Every structure is written in structure tokens, then in C-alpha cells.
Amino acid sequence: MLILTEEGVYRADTPAPRPEPVRVHGGAVMVDAFTGGGVAAQADGGVAVFGLEGTDRVASGIGDEIHCIQVLRENPLALLIGTEPAHLYRLEDGQPAARVESFDRLEVRADWYTPWGGPPAVRSLARSGDDVYADIHVGSIVRSADAGQSWAPVNPGLHPDVHQVAVCPAAPERVYVNTADAVFVSEDRGESWRHRADGLPCRYGRAIAVHPEDPDCLLASVSRGPRAEGTGRLFRSSDAGRSWASPDAGFPETTLDNVDTFQVAFDAGGAAWASVGDRLYRSGDRGRSWAVEWKAPAPIVAISCPPGSP
């Protein structure tokens, strides 16, 4: 497991985390874990790759602001990196990152926007085999069926303001998103969508995570708006979002800020993780009950666990 805080990156074993700092020069902005190691995108556009034998730095050559990172292949390492403005870069074999031209040629780019007038961004990425999904903020999601080489939009029935996209190894055709109007689920790789908001008291969604072996087991965070103002909440579902319930014990009933994109995850063993401020919470019963596993030295920005096996 990788834990990104405002002061640096920590690595921990699960289920009982003993986080230790991973030295990343230049400031880390995003992390993604894989078996035996992980990667951290850096504030200066570089990438740190760390494993059992230490940390290496790769000069990516990316001048755009990095928002997300997805491991496509572990050995030799291949990464997909999403940025603001909304571009994708492929980084592999230690070579400088190359802009994904097919992504830049998407006609739907003309519809992407932000409410504040700034450039849209690739906010999150998710991979299921060769299928890769890129969440555009704001602009729905787009899909690649060939590990990021070519791209196409999904069905436009999805709410455009997506805050995180997720997949499940046990159900490769299914896609999950949390949006400014709660959760949507697709059973057919984005060709059609079902709105799964019933039972949620508020609908402004941020994070979403799926159990690696049970595609019906979800966690999602919602609030009343972008600034939350004490209305942030975490919900669980055991039926793919058809119904929702609050945690039974151990997790804050409400949070001052949103439980944000990348702050909820399942590990490969099925344990759930979530962060609130500097507290890292763990649930061993699919989000019903929680306990604080670690108090970080600074607020936690993101957590990442190695994916389960397909």
C-alpha cells in the first residue's frame, strides 16, 4: 500500500500497516501501487519508481500538471499519466513520456470544460485488462480497448462531471463512476449506464472503490457540494449501488471536508481503507465497521493498493 501525504510518500504492508517513508525528491503529487512496489508522480514532472531495492527517478519530460497515474505493466514498467490540461502521456522503458495522439484527436474534446473557466483535466484512470478508462473533469469518461493506444467516448447518458472512475477484476465489463450527481454503474463497458443514487441523502460524489472479488460491494463518498462544509459522508453498498447504508461503527458520521478522489480503496485481500485528514481507517468487514490504523504526520492526500488478480 502507498500513502501520499502533504509531506511525502509512505509505504505499508497490509493488513497491519507499518508505514515507512519513501524518499521522493521534488514533491509527490500522485501514487499508484503494484506488487512489490509503486510509482509516484512528482511536482516537477518526474516519476519516482520504488521497489524492494530502492528508488529510481525517471525524467518524464512532462511539462503539464500531473493529476493521475496508472500502471499498465509492471515489468518492464509502462505508465499512463493524466494531466491538466487534459492530455495523456505514455511512459515506458525509461524513455521520456510520449503524448497519446489518439486521445488528443478525440472530437468530444470540444465539449470538455470547467465551471471556473480553467482547462479540463484527466482526473482519474482505471484499468481492467486492456480496457482503460480516463475520467475527464469535466467531460464524462473515455475508453481505450487496447491499453491506451486508441480512445473513444462512452455513451453520453453518463453525467459529465465525473470525479473518479473504478473497475473490478471480478467483473471486467463493469465500470463504476462517482459524479456530481452520485454514482453511475455500467454493465457493458460504458455502452449504457444506471444511476445508483437511491438512498443517498446527498449526491455530490467524490471517491469510489470496489471490492476486488465482489463487484456488488462498493464504497462511495458524498456531500452537499464541492466544499462539503461538514456534510461529507461515506456509504457502502452490497448490491452494486441499488441501496446504500452508512458504516455501523468507527468511521466519522460526517467529515468537515469531502472524502476525496483517491481517498478510499480496497486492497487485494478485500480490506477497505479510507482517509480523513491525517487518519487512515481500515475495515475488515466491507465497510460496516472501521478503526483507525495509523495517524499520519500530515494530512493524507491519496491511498493506493495493488490491484487484485483478474
Side-chain angles (χ1 to χ4, degrees):
M1 168 187 258
L2 300 179
I3 306 162
L4 174 61
T5 75
E6 290 183 356
E7 72 165 21
V9 180
Y10 291 77
R11 181 168 52 197
D13 295 327
T14 60
R18 297 179 179 84
E20 296 186 357
V22 179
R23 298 195 178 278
V24 179
H25 300 289
V29 295
M30 189 46 61
V31 292
D32 191 26
F34 55 83
T35 306
V39 295
Q42 297 179 252
D44 61 2
V47 174
V49 183
F50 32 86
L52 298 177
E53 298 181 357
T55 302
D56 295 323
R57 176 183 165 83
V58 177
S60 72
I62 297 174
D64 297 328
E65 180 179 342
I66 295 173
H67 276 222
C68 55
I69 188 167
Q70 173 70 55
V71 174
L72 298 175
R73 186 180 64 235
E74 294 185 25
N75 187 22
L77 188 65
L79 308 175
L80 198 63
I81 299 171
T83 67
E84 177 188 327
H87 299 294
L88 285 174
Y89 294 83
R90 190 179 180 101
L91 178 65
E92 54 186 323
D93 299 330
Q95 300 298 314
R99 180 92 64 87
V100 179
E101 295 182 1
S102 60
F103 182 83
D104 287 347
R105 290 195 299 266
L106 283 166
E107 292 184 6
V108 292
R109 292 181 67 90
D111 299 324
W112 298 350
Y113 70 98
T114 59
W116 56 91
V122 182
R123 184 177 178 120
S124 68
L125 293 161
R127 180 179 69 88
S128 178
D130 285 338
D131 287 336
V132 184
Y133 301 89
D135 150 23
I136 312 303
H137 191 246
V138 173
S140 187
I141 64 174
V142 293
R143 177 186 67 208
S144 171
D146 51 14
Q149 300 292 339
S150 62
W151 293 86
V154 299
N155 185 293
L158 175 63
H159 192 282
D161 195 354
V162 178
H163 293 143
Q164 189 168 359
V165 58
V167 293
C168 175
E173 299 292 311
R174 195 180 287 186
V175 190
Y176 314 77
V177 296
N178 206 354
T179 77
D181 191 20
V183 173
F184 288 74
V185 179
S186 172
E187 302 282 354
D188 50 16
R189 301 172 61 248
E191 293 300 318
S192 62
W193 295 92
R194 297 293 181 95
H195 195 193
R196 296 288 167 80
D198 291 348
L200 293 173
C202 42
R203 294 191 174 190
Y204 185 83
R206 285 288 181 92
I208 190 164
V210 190
H211 191 285
E213 296 178 351
D214 183 355
D216 289 341
C217 178
L218 315 181
L219 294 172
S221 66
V222 294
S223 72
R224 295 194 184 279
R227 292 175 181 82
E229 297 177 341
T231 67
R233 298 183 66 178
L234 183 67
F235 284 86
R236 59 184 175 85
S237 176
S238 59
D239 53 12
R242 295 175 181 86
S243 63
W244 296 93
S246 302
D248 295 334
F251 200 84
E253 182 177 353
T254 60
T255 60
L256 178 63
D257 299 316
N258 283 297
V259 179
D260 211 348
T261 307
F262 305 122
Q263 291 183 335
V264 180
F266 280 95
D267 65 28
W273 300 87
S275 66
V276 177
D278 61 0
R279 305 300 171 94
L280 179 66
Y281 291 81
R282 178 184 182 274
S283 171
D285 56 6
R286 302 185 174 214
R288 292 179 178 85
S289 60
W290 296 79
V292 176
E293 287 289 317
W294 185 52
K295 185 178 183 297
I300 296 171
V301 176
I303 54 179
S304 178
C305 299
S309 300

